[in-house]
Amino acid sequence: MSTALLVLHWVAGFIVLAEALNKLERTAPCAPGLTPRERVTAWLKGFAWLLLGLGGAGALITPLLPLERPTFQDVCVMLGFAVLIVRTRVKEG
Protein backbone atom coordinates (compact mmCIF):
# COMPACT_ATOMS: atom_id res chain seq x y z
CA MET A 1 0.00 0.00 0.00
CA SER A 2 2.81 2.38 0.81
CA THR A 3 4.35 2.00 -2.64
CA ALA A 4 0.98 2.63 -4.29
CA LEU A 5 0.59 5.85 -2.26
CA LEU A 6 4.08 6.93 -3.28
CA VAL A 7 3.30 6.35 -6.96
CA LEU A 8 -0.02 8.19 -6.72
CA HIS A 9 1.68 11.08 -4.93
CA TRP A 10 4.39 11.26 -7.61
CA VAL A 11 1.94 11.18 -10.55
CA ALA A 12 -0.32 13.78 -8.93
CA GLY A 13 2.72 15.95 -8.17
CA PHE A 14 3.76 15.78 -11.82
CA ILE A 15 0.31 16.91 -12.98
CA VAL A 16 0.16 19.73 -10.42
CA LEU A 17 3.68 20.94 -11.24
CA ALA A 18 3.03 20.91 -15.00
CA GLU A 19 -0.19 22.90 -14.60
CA ALA A 20 1.41 25.31 -12.13
CA LEU A 21 4.23 26.08 -14.55
CA ASN A 22 1.68 26.58 -17.33
CA LYS A 23 -0.42 28.96 -15.22
CA LEU A 24 2.60 30.87 -13.92
CA GLU A 25 3.81 31.42 -17.47
CA ARG A 26 0.49 33.01 -18.40
CA THR A 27 -0.05 35.06 -15.22
CA ALA A 28 0.86 38.73 -15.72
CA PRO A 29 0.19 40.76 -12.56
CA CYS A 30 2.28 43.67 -13.85
CA ALA A 31 0.46 43.96 -17.17
CA PRO A 32 -0.57 47.49 -18.09
CA GLY A 33 -4.20 48.46 -17.87
CA LEU A 34 -5.23 46.26 -14.96
CA THR A 35 -7.47 47.72 -12.31
CA PRO A 36 -6.16 47.49 -8.73
CA ARG A 37 -8.58 44.64 -8.02
CA GLU A 38 -7.48 42.71 -11.13
CA ARG A 39 -3.83 43.29 -10.22
CA VAL A 40 -4.29 41.97 -6.68
CA THR A 41 -6.23 39.01 -8.02
CA ALA A 42 -3.45 38.23 -10.52
CA TRP A 43 -0.79 38.45 -7.78
CA LEU A 44 -2.79 36.13 -5.52
CA LYS A 45 -3.34 33.69 -8.39
CA GLY A 46 0.38 33.70 -9.17
CA PHE A 47 1.30 33.18 -5.53
CA ALA A 48 -1.18 30.30 -5.20
CA TRP A 49 0.18 28.57 -8.32
CA LEU A 50 3.74 29.13 -7.08
CA LEU A 51 2.90 27.35 -3.84
CA LEU A 52 1.14 24.52 -5.68
CA GLY A 53 4.15 24.21 -8.00
CA LEU A 54 6.48 23.94 -5.02
CA GLY A 55 4.26 21.23 -3.56
CA GLY A 56 4.24 19.38 -6.88
CA ALA A 57 8.01 19.64 -7.16
CA GLY A 58 8.32 18.31 -3.63
CA ALA A 59 6.17 15.34 -4.57
CA LEU A 60 8.41 14.64 -7.57
CA ILE A 61 11.64 14.82 -5.59
CA THR A 62 10.44 12.79 -2.58
CA PRO A 63 11.31 9.34 -4.00
CA LEU A 64 14.81 10.50 -4.98
CA LEU A 65 15.86 11.90 -1.61
CA PRO A 66 15.91 10.35 1.84
CA LEU A 67 12.77 12.23 2.90
CA GLU A 68 9.70 11.04 4.75
CA ARG A 69 7.26 9.08 2.67
CA PRO A 70 4.03 10.96 1.98
CA THR A 71 1.20 10.38 4.39
CA PHE A 72 -2.30 9.48 3.31
CA GLN A 73 -3.26 13.15 3.87
CA ASP A 74 -0.43 14.36 1.60
CA VAL A 75 -1.53 12.00 -1.15
CA CYS A 76 -5.18 13.02 -0.82
CA VAL A 77 -4.40 16.75 -1.07
CA MET A 78 -2.08 16.38 -4.06
CA LEU A 79 -4.40 13.92 -5.78
CA GLY A 80 -7.37 16.22 -5.17
CA PHE A 81 -5.64 19.10 -6.92
CA ALA A 82 -4.57 16.81 -9.76
CA VAL A 83 -8.14 15.57 -10.25
CA LEU A 84 -9.44 19.15 -10.34
CA ILE A 85 -6.82 20.06 -12.94
CA VAL A 86 -7.60 17.04 -15.14
CA ARG A 87 -11.35 17.69 -14.77
CA THR A 88 -10.88 21.27 -15.93
CA ARG A 89 -8.82 20.15 -18.93
CA VAL A 90 -11.42 17.53 -19.91
CA LYS A 91 -14.21 20.08 -19.50
CA GLU A 92 -12.36 22.52 -21.81
CA GLY A 93 -12.32 19.69 -24.30
Side-chain angles (χ1 to χ4, degrees):
M1 180 66 174
S2 183
T3 303
L5 285 178
L6 189 60
V7 169
L8 275 175
H9 192 243
W10 191 88
V11 170
F14 180 80
I15 292 168
V16 170
L17 178 60
E19 185 69 10
L21 291 173
N22 181 38
K23 296 287 187 179
L24 282 170
E25 183 180 18
R26 295 187 289 135
T27 301
C30 296
L34 294 177
T35 65
R37 182 179 180 154
E38 291 171 331
R39 194 170 305 283
V40 168
T41 302
W43 275 107
L44 289 173
K45 178 182 175 182
F47 185 60
W49 281 110
L50 174 69
L51 292 174
L52 285 169
L54 289 172
L60 286 179
I61 201 75
T62 297
L64 304 175
L65 297 176
L67 300 172
E68 289 183 30
R69 289 183 159 250
T71 65
F72 184 69
Q73 288 174 311
D74 297 332
V75 175
C76 286
V77 170
M78 191 62 65
L79 193 58
F81 279 114
V83 168
L84 288 174
I85 290 166
V86 170
R87 177 196 151 276
T88 302
R89 291 295 180 160
V90 169
K91 188 176 170 183
E92 290 174 353

